[in-house]
Amino acid sequence: MQPFVDLGVSPPCESFLTEQDLDGGEAFYPLDVKICDGCWLAQLGEFVPPERIFGEYAYFSSFSKAWLEHAARYCSAMRERFALGRDSFVLEVASNDGYLLRNFVASAVPCLGVEPAANVAKAAIEAGVPTEVAFFGRAYAETLAASGRRADLIAGNNVLAQAPDLNDFVAGLAIALKDEGALTLEFPHLLKLMAENQFDTIYHEHFSYFSLTTVAKIFAAHGLRVFDVEELWTHGGSLRVFGCRLGAAHRESPRVGALLRKEEEAGLTRISTYASFNRQVVETKWSLLDLLIGLKRKGKRIVGYGAPGKGNTLLNYCGVRADILDFTVDRNPYKHGRYLPGTRIPIYAPERLDAARPDYVLILPWNLREEIVGQLAHIRGWGGRFIVPIPTPAIVE
């Protein structure tokens, strides 16, 4: 294991505080990612038990219009590509609040969501999406297979990074998949993370960070193979990897070999490539602080938009607290009246932003920049402007 990037220490990014919590302490854990020079998997130590992170979860996928549209397009494309219908079975692991599977429910395609966070699964069930509360892995997959519920399609969006035991998780995918079935996994692309300086996507619930090169190795170890890959806009640049059993008839797309070559040419199989990334991260921290402190010295009022996990990594690493960022707003009612972990910046409903009329709004979920700028275009009426922190801190003109 070789050094990759060290973001100091931070509390779990979804451990939002209540008013009563402010009188107590918080546990901070290392955010120190290492790279394996054998399989090129970037790994964060399991400092926080998964049950603590995912037992009750504050992230609800349905609060992003762009993400809902992305999920709807996916379901339509998969129904057509794999001829899914009333006799098919779709399984989604880490199905959150049913944001994706509700499209299959509406199309009368039998489906099941597996979600470890009971509070989020409850929202899915109330929306009419069949959901079971469980951590997915080999043992759970064996119960599915034993009950005759192997899947024609398995979907897993932004869950591979959250599996502390990768081998157990991927073994479960292989067990739960029909012989000619297909699985798709979406995850932020390590190549994009490095090329576009997306270090704030590192947090404790993300145990691993992936290239296609590494995923192909993991699949092969469990009797699976990659037969297609798509590059997506989501989360600042993600991959959608298509997998199947080794003996399945799915033909391999030329996109697989092309992306593997692209990763090699970019240096993802050379340790020197990773060694230089930490210096880039430190420079970004200094640049953001220079910008924010300079504006505060001029008497400008700055607030945040959003309370995502990536925002908490960014603010804790940079040491930005309420003396710089007065508050942040978020569309998720679960977070209203709470405080960001570590920085203890208060979170309000979006209406608070209009009442405060700040000079600048720091967009913390920068991957949704276009959606947010569109939603908040009216702040220009009082002279308000936007700041994006990634890839380079800048005021949006």
Side-chain angles (χ1 to χ4, degrees), residues 134-155:
F135 281 91
F136 183 83
R138 187 192 301 268
Y140 182 86
E142 286 173 346
T143 65
L144 281 180
S147 64
R149 293 187 294 170
R150 290 202 300 159
D152 297 279
L153 174 68
I154 299 177

Side-chain angles (χ1 to χ4, degrees), residues 63-66 304-308 329-331 353 361-380 386-388:
F63 285 104
S64 169
K65 180 184 175 189
Y305 187 92
V329 301
D330 196 275
R331 295 177 65 192
L353 189 149
V361 175
L362 175 64
I363 299 176
L364 295 171
W366 45 260
N367 54 301
L368 301 174
R369 164 182 162 174
E370 291 184 10
E371 178 181 344
I372 292 165
V373 169
Q375 289 172 358
L376 302 182
H378 64 280
I379 77 167
R380 294 192 176 94
F386 300 97
I387 300 171
V388 291

Side-chain angles (χ1 to χ4, degrees), residues 298-327:
K298 293 176 183 178
K300 303 300 182 182
R301 189 173 194 190
I302 310 170
V303 305
Y305 187 92
K310 60 170 60 70
N312 290 325
T313 291
L314 178 82
L315 297 176
N316 277 290
Y317 173 62
C318 295
V320 173
R321 287 174 170 74
D323 57 336
I324 293 178
L325 205 66
D326 293 13
F327 60 84

Side-chain angles (χ1 to χ4, degrees), residues 34-219:
K34 301 281 199 272
I35 191 80
C36 171
D37 57 10
C39 68
W40 307 108
L41 177 65
Q43 303 168 60
L44 181 68
E46 188 183 330
F47 299 109
V48 188
E51 293 78 10
R52 178 178 173 189
I53 296 175
F54 302 113
E56 182 174 356
Y57 203 41
Y59 180 77
F60 290 72
S61 298
S62 293
F63 285 104
S64 169
K65 180 184 175 189
W67 185 246
L68 289 177
E69 291 171 348
H70 171 73
R73 287 192 298 270
Y74 166 84
C75 294
S76 177
M78 295 306 105
R79 286 199 309 270
E80 181 176 350
R81 179 168 182 172
F82 299 117
L84 301 174
R86 295 176 184 272
D87 296 327
S88 307
F89 178 55
V90 175
L91 175 70
E92 185 184 8
V93 292
S95 52
N96 201 260
D97 59 6
Y99 73 99
L100 184 144
L101 288 181
R102 67 189 191 184
N103 296 284
F104 285 118
V105 170
S107 301
V109 177
C111 60
L112 174 68
V114 184
E115 170 55 48
N119 65 313
V120 182
K122 181 174 181 286
I125 294 168
E126 290 173 350
V129 176
T131 306
E132 295 182 359
V133 178
F135 281 91
F136 183 83
R138 187 192 301 268
Y140 182 86
E142 286 173 346
T143 65
L144 281 180
S147 64
R149 293 187 294 170
R150 290 202 300 159
D152 297 279
L153 174 68
I154 299 177
N157 288 348
N158 303 304
V159 61
L160 190 63
Q162 298 175 334
D165 186 339
L166 272 179
N167 285 306
D168 181 69
F169 181 83
V170 178
L173 295 177
I175 292 167
L177 189 65
K178 285 185 178 177
D179 291 347
E180 290 296 327
L183 66 90
T184 67
L185 298 175
E186 294 184 22
F187 49 85
H189 191 190
L190 181 61
L191 181 61
K192 281 284 190 179
L193 184 154
M194 297 174 68
E196 300 188 11
N197 203 28
Q198 298 167 1
F199 65 88
D200 58 342
T201 59
I202 294 169
Y203 32 90
H204 295 105
E205 67 185 54
H206 286 179
F207 300 104
S208 307
Y209 305 84
F210 299 96
S211 61
L212 180 61
T213 300
T214 297
V215 169
K217 290 177 181 289
I218 296 169
F219 274 19

